[in-house]
Amino acid sequence: MIKNIVILISGRGSNMEAIVRSAIPGARIAAVIANRADAGGLAFAAEHGIATAVVDHKAYASREAFDAVLAAEIDSHEPHLVVLAGFMRVLTADFVTHYAGRLINIHPSLLPSFPGLHTHVRALEAGVKVHGASVHFVTSDLDCGPIIVQAVVPVLDDDDEQRLSARVLAQEHRIYPQAVRWFVDERIVLLNGRAKVTSSGSGPESWTVPLIEDDTP
Ligand code: GAR
């Protein structure tokens, strides 16, 4: 059965683009929805024949009201999976519960380090030697759900925010399509609040978290 995927964005949508371009067998990008009419990624989605919609959070008096309209728009596309790709809104517990087990996010840090905003600057300030990105299931605690996959990049002596974020973003574009593919292939198991990726058909096994070589020029 083809699995419908709805992707939520707030801005340029480069992770959404990476997922669309990866053309995952058995998956159909049913819609790209933004909370801002000026989200750059909407144009890419429309050019690729994907349904787009805008649900502007500023039009609603409360988070609850916004999330209810957003969920109605998402559900009209009958999603098997909802993918947050740079969607910069905190979601209500009701919304998260409605999509339990089928709502994933990418965060630009090695969670549980550096939840929240400005992750690259904070990593530089902390002097960490490795940084990266995490794909995780969304729970009602911000940036806290079960981790599906992480990519690690070295922090170099002469890094600044721009260089480090570019190196992390390149890895985001690798691991997010990979995580979506695992979901579509039904290879992700949630067990005791932790996510495991199974090898096809042979039951849960530990997944590895590879150290990624820095191939950014
Ligand atoms: C990405 O780096 C993503 O990890 C981050 O926003 C960027 C969106 O870029 N998400 C968060 O910070 C969520 N807490 P994109 O629009 O080009 O995909």
Side-chain angles (χ1 to χ4, degrees):
M1 184 190 32
I2 297 285
K3 296 205 171 64
N4 289 330
I5 297 174
V6 170
I7 305 180
L8 305 190
I9 63 170
S10 294
R12 82 192 144 180
S14 70
N15 277 290
M16 174 272 296
E17 196 174 322
I19 292 166
V20 170
R21 287 193 192 283
S22 70
I24 295 164
R28 166 179 170 266
I29 310 302
V32 171
I33 302 172
N35 66 311
R36 302 170 56 108
D38 62 356
L42 288 171
F44 172 88
E47 280 160 18
H48 285 73
I50 299 167
T52 62
V54 175
V55 182
D56 183 351
H57 62 278
K58 293 193 293 300
Y60 301 92
S62 65
R63 282 193 194 282
E64 288 72 18
F66 168 68
D67 281 7
V69 174
L70 180 62
E73 177 62 39
I74 294 169
D75 288 347
S76 73
H77 301 282
E78 301 181 352
H80 297 85
L81 175 67
V82 178
V83 172
L84 305 182
F87 188 68
M88 305 306 275
R89 300 294 304 166
V90 173
L91 297 161
T92 57
D94 279 355
F95 182 98
V96 171
T97 301
H98 179 65
Y99 296 106
R102 55 186 177 123
L103 179 62
I104 63 175
N105 181 47
I106 191 158
H107 184 75
S109 77
L110 291 174
L111 291 172
S113 292
F114 311 122
L117 298 174
H118 311 301
T119 55
H120 308 303
V121 170
R122 287 158 62 208
L124 288 167
E125 283 173 359
V128 294
K129 303 307 177 205
V130 292
H131 184 44
S134 309
V135 177
H136 65 97
F137 283 101
V138 176
T139 60
S140 43
D141 295 325
L142 186 69
D143 300 329
C144 256
I147 294 167
I148 299 167
V149 62
Q150 295 180 302
V152 181
V153 302
V155 179
L156 307 179
D157 285 345
D158 58 351
D159 266 344
D160 57 18
E161 181 184 12
Q162 195 249 327
R163 283 169 54 88
L164 183 57
S165 65
R167 196 178 308 116
V168 171
L169 191 65
Q171 296 306 323
E172 293 186 40
H173 295 165
R174 199 178 62 84
I175 62 172
Y176 217 2
Q178 177 69 78
V180 173
R181 185 179 288 253
W182 283 333
F183 187 95
V184 168
D185 290 345
E186 300 180 356
R187 288 182 53 192
I188 304 178
V189 176
L190 270 170
L191 212 56
N192 302 326
R194 289 197 289 166
K196 303 254 184 204
V197 180
T198 67
S199 58
S200 20
S202 64
E205 63 175 24
S206 297
W207 73 99
T208 55
V209 180
L211 179 66
I212 305 303
E213 298 299 324
D214 177 22
D215 55 3
T216 308

